[in-house]
Amino acid sequence: MSGKSRRPKISLRSGWTTGACATAAAKGAAEALWSGMFPESVKISLPGGQEPEFKLESCRSGDGWAEAGVIKDAGDDPDVTHGALIVARVESFGKGISFAAGEGVGTVTRPGLPIAVGEPAINPVPREMMESAVDAVARSYDTTANVRITIIVPGGRQLAERTWNPRLGILGGISILGTTGIVRPYSCSAWIASIHRGIDVARASGLDHVAGCTGQTSGRVVQRHYGLPDHAMLDMGDFSGGLLKYLKRHPLPWLTIGGGIAKITKLSQGASDLHSSRSQVDFKALSRRSIEIGLPDVSKANTVLEAVEIAGNDLAQAIAGDARSRLIRMLQGRVSRIDVIVVNRTGQIVGHAEER
């Protein structure tokens, strides 16, 4: 893409998290459960004080239950759940408010996440929002909210295959997420949060080796090279800084970083965000490095790949070594074993810096 960002240069529209949509759906269903009628729309309160209004869809009710849906609008963010129907069924059940995973909502099967193993993958803030909204409706009808809230997302199982959920041990569907209720377009916060949860799961599972990789090709190569399980693989993408800062505070014994030659070069030169629009390779420094180790001058190269074609894989090996040295300095002894694997576009390892 000629080094240009995909982010549009126009004002972008924010959207709503699955947690906000589930809260609106639960509130609408609760209204119908205790009044016998569904409102056309409901207004909810977000943690930041905003009060958005949501139109209700697919409203149904029966003896002791009611359910309503809200169509997820992620604004201009390329969210995989944009357009999904988020349904909440509220039914009389037990004491207090409990939660269940319906069709398309995952169940937690590994420790390390903010929700216990065996629980529906509905994160703490969305739970709090739903509890508050449903309890307020109950009090308005002079009753007590002794209900079970089941969240349903038709097609959610298929959507989850495009998320981190299978790797994190969240099986059967998507998660109901959000800490603010608002989706910020092209925000990196959700991706970085997924990296953090991946580290949490790896630690709770007792793993001693994780790999942060910049893409699918390097991820497959590193996983195959070491025989790592899926939940040891951290889809780092461009966010090396987000991974390393969190790992410094929550260490594991062994870290492998894998990636293509250009991104690992930027990492070796000090970049924390490896996206083409937010960091660039210093080709003068790369050329000096090549000459320093007795390799050809690569100052005429237009890309790092071309530089390696000129100088050979010894340059890729030097880049891997420089990246490893930088990681050792950044992590300050918090991770005892660190290695870096550089792969080319065909999935061959062209550089591997490791402890000897």
Side-chain angles (χ1 to χ4, degrees):
M1 296 183 66
S2 304
K4 294 181 180 179
S5 170
R6 293 180 299 161
R7 183 181 300 195
K9 303 298 183 181
I10 58 174
S11 177
L12 297 175
R13 187 171 61 89
S14 296
W16 311 112
T17 64
T18 48
C21 296
T23 299
K27 182 176 181 180
E31 286 274 1
L33 178 66
W34 289 308
S35 74
M37 297 182 62
F38 287 96
E40 289 189 7
S41 63
V42 295
K43 186 179 290 187
I44 65 169
S45 297
L46 300 182
Q50 303 91 338
E51 293 189 332
E53 191 165 355
F54 296 81
K55 180 184 176 183
L56 297 184
E57 309 279 349
S58 65
C59 299
R60 302 190 308 144
S61 62
D63 185 18
W65 64 273
E67 68 178 40
V70 167
I71 294 176
K72 163 80 180 281
D73 179 2
D76 289 322
D77 194 69
D79 189 306
V80 300
T81 58
H82 177 70
L85 180 66
I86 312 298
V87 177
R89 172 183 284 234
V90 179
E91 58 188 321
S92 300
F93 181 84
K95 293 285 187 180
I97 299 175
S98 60
F99 294 91
E103 173 198 351
V105 173
T107 298
V108 176
T109 67
R110 288 195 186 118
L113 295 169
I115 300 300
V117 171
E119 283 287 307
I122 303 170
N123 269 19
V125 171
R127 289 179 184 235
E128 292 169 5
M129 291 169 59
M130 283 186 267
E131 287 170 346
S132 177
V134 171
D135 184 62
V137 174
R139 284 187 279 108
S140 73
Y141 289 102
D142 197 26
T143 189
T144 302
N146 294 320
V147 296
R148 176 169 58 197
I149 303 173
T150 302
I151 305 301
I152 303 157
V153 182
R157 183 183 292 271
Q158 290 72 36
L159 291 175
E161 295 301 318
R162 298 161 58 191
T163 74
W164 275 57
N165 277 14
R167 188 172 290 179
L168 294 174
I170 299 172
L171 304 183
I174 67 165
S175 301
I176 305 302
L177 302 172
T179 55
T180 65
I182 300 173
V183 174
R184 305 293 182 188
Y186 290 87
S187 168
C188 63
S189 60
W191 194 320
I192 292 173
S194 294
I195 294 171
H196 295 175
R197 298 296 78 76
I199 293 171
D200 292 343
V201 167
R203 283 167 53 89
S205 300
L207 293 181
D208 62 0
H209 184 189
V210 294
C213 297
T214 61
Q216 291 184 355
T217 299
S218 58
R220 285 194 299 267
V221 171
V222 170
Q223 185 171 22
R224 185 170 61 246
H225 184 78
Y226 284 116
L228 292 170
D230 285 346
H231 60 295
M233 303 303 298
L234 307 172
D235 186 6
M236 178 179 75
D238 295 318
F239 304 115
S240 60
L243 183 151
L244 296 170
K245 289 175 184 176
Y246 195 76
L247 198 58
K248 186 177 177 181
R249 299 195 305 271
H250 306 87
L252 283 153
W254 182 359
L255 170 67
T256 297
I257 294 293
I261 185 65
K263 291 187 186 294
I264 298 299
T265 299
K266 289 193 280 188
L267 178 64
S268 75
Q269 293 179 345
S272 294
D273 186 330
L274 309 181
H275 194 277
S276 59
S277 70
R278 297 184 287 271
S279 62
Q280 302 295 326
V281 171
D282 183 339
F283 279 93
K284 290 182 179 179
L286 180 62
S287 184
R288 288 194 300 269
R289 183 67 173 120
S290 184
I291 294 169
E292 179 184 287
I293 58 178
L295 298 176
D297 180 356
V298 295
S299 58
K300 302 297 184 182
N302 292 313
T303 65
V304 183
L305 179 61
E306 185 180 357
V308 171
E309 289 173 350
I310 294 168
N313 286 349
D314 284 349
L315 180 56
Q317 181 63 33
I319 290 167
D322 292 345
R324 179 175 181 269
S325 297
R326 179 170 180 262
L327 294 173
I328 290 171
R329 292 193 300 273
M330 287 188 65
L331 292 170
Q332 299 178 338
R334 298 288 287 159
V335 175
S336 57
R337 183 173 177 180
I338 299 169
D339 69 307
V340 175
I341 292 179
V342 181
V343 302
N344 64 18
R345 290 178 178 175
T346 63
Q348 296 174 311
I349 296 176
V350 294
H352 187 186
E354 56 186 327
E355 188 173 2
R356 297 188 183 279

